[in-house]
Amino acid sequence: MKDLLCIAHRGASGHAPENTLLAIEKAINMGAPWVEIDVQLLEGQLVVIHDPTLDRTTNGTGLVETCRLADLRLLDAGRGEKIPLLSEVFDLISGRCGLNVELKGPGTALPTLALVQSLVGQGLLDWSQLLISSFNHHWIKQVKSREPLCPVAANLCGLPLDYARFAYGLGASSVHFDMEFIDVALVEDAHRRGLMVNVFTVNREEDLERVRQMGVDGVFTNYPELVLNKG
Ligand code: G3P
Ligand code: MG
């Protein structure tokens, strides 16, 4: 059986508060080769949080974009964890796993690119350990057109009539599909176009087997143990 790539979704978020340094460290300790996190821009800083609001994952309330950065950094994102800055995530990982940065909020593409270019320039990051992705394919194009060396991926929640054609011209190395919509034709079309297929978010054994049968290459999971060491 083909090995599936394990991407710890928002860190090992089934075991620790999502998108925190604790969840990322947990994923690394569990042996996940890749971690995915979500970023938004606030006062020029890249902050690691999924929702546009603070309510679900922190002890704060309201929109992220109307919160002061200093106040956001005082919030509890679970078990006393702070909402990390993207730079802190890179510091923590220090080459121990790959990082998939999902651009969630407007204005994140160029600051993310500037940060990773600086890290690569300092020898602190290798392009092979990075993947920038988004549901907003314009942002992906923005990154790839400015930095052809930067690996990018296009996310999609749906099943287009022309399958994976949307990824044409983006320079993406992989496509990330919602498991509710994928079928074999989509996976095969992506493969024909030279794209790796990773699927989110696979947290149950039966879903893992279903997408494995379709021939996907990797899965995003909150539970890395579901995928790791299972040939
Ligand atoms: O990047 C894959 C996956 O994280 C996309 O969905 O909503 O969990 O960010 P979401
Ligand atoms: Mg995400």
Side-chain angles (χ1 to χ4, degrees), residues 9-10 19 36-39 50 100-104 133 135 155 200-201 220:
H9 180 242
R10 312 179 192 174
N19 281 323
E36 183 259 6
I37 55 163
D38 308 287
V39 297
H50 178 276
N100 175 190
V101 180
E102 185 190 342
L103 307 177
K104 218 39 150 180
S133 65
F135 286 99
N155 294 0
F200 58 89
T201 305
F220 295 85

Side-chain angles (χ1 to χ4, degrees), residues 6-20:
C6 175
I7 308 162
H9 180 242
R10 312 179 192 174
S13 57
H15 300 285
E18 69 176 54
N19 281 323
T20 63

Side-chain angles (χ1 to χ4, degrees), residues 198-217:
N198 300 321
V199 180
F200 58 89
T201 305
V202 180
N203 289 329
R204 300 187 315 174
E205 195 75 52
E206 53 267 40
D207 291 327
L208 183 68
E209 287 318 308
R210 184 171 67 86
V211 299
R212 192 198 290 279
Q213 295 302 323
M214 290 183 197
V216 308
D217 302 290

Side-chain angles (χ1 to χ4, degrees), residues 12-138:
S13 57
H15 300 285
E18 69 176 54
N19 281 323
T20 63
L21 297 183
L22 191 64
I24 295 164
E25 187 64 32
K26 177 72 180 170
I28 294 170
N29 288 337
M30 293 178 82
W34 281 82
V35 165
E36 183 259 6
I37 55 163
D38 308 287
V39 297
Q40 301 186 45
L41 190 70
L42 187 61
E43 295 176 24
Q45 294 290 322
L46 292 155
V47 294
V48 181
I49 182 168
H50 178 276
D51 295 0
T53 54
L54 298 160
D55 303 56
R56 183 179 60 84
T57 58
T58 77
N59 60 346
T61 57
L63 292 169
V64 171
E65 67 181 5
T66 55
C67 188
R68 297 269 306 274
L69 179 64
D71 295 332
L72 177 136
R73 295 279 286 164
L74 293 174
L75 296 175
D76 186 343
R79 295 194 214 164
E81 289 290 299
K82 303 280 172 239
I83 295 173
L85 300 177
L86 181 57
S87 58
E88 294 174 331
V89 172
F90 280 112
D91 287 348
L92 176 77
I93 290 180
S94 291
R96 293 182 294 157
C97 69
L99 185 66
N100 175 190
V101 180
E102 185 190 342
L103 307 177
K104 218 39 150 180
T108 48
L110 297 186
T112 299
L113 179 59
L115 175 62
V116 299
Q117 282 177 320
S118 158
L119 292 170
V120 169
Q122 294 172 72
L124 298 171
L125 175 67
D126 192 278
W127 289 121
S128 66
Q129 292 284 81
L130 176 74
L131 184 61
I132 295 182
S133 65
S134 186
F135 286 99
N136 187 320
H137 302 167
H138 297 269

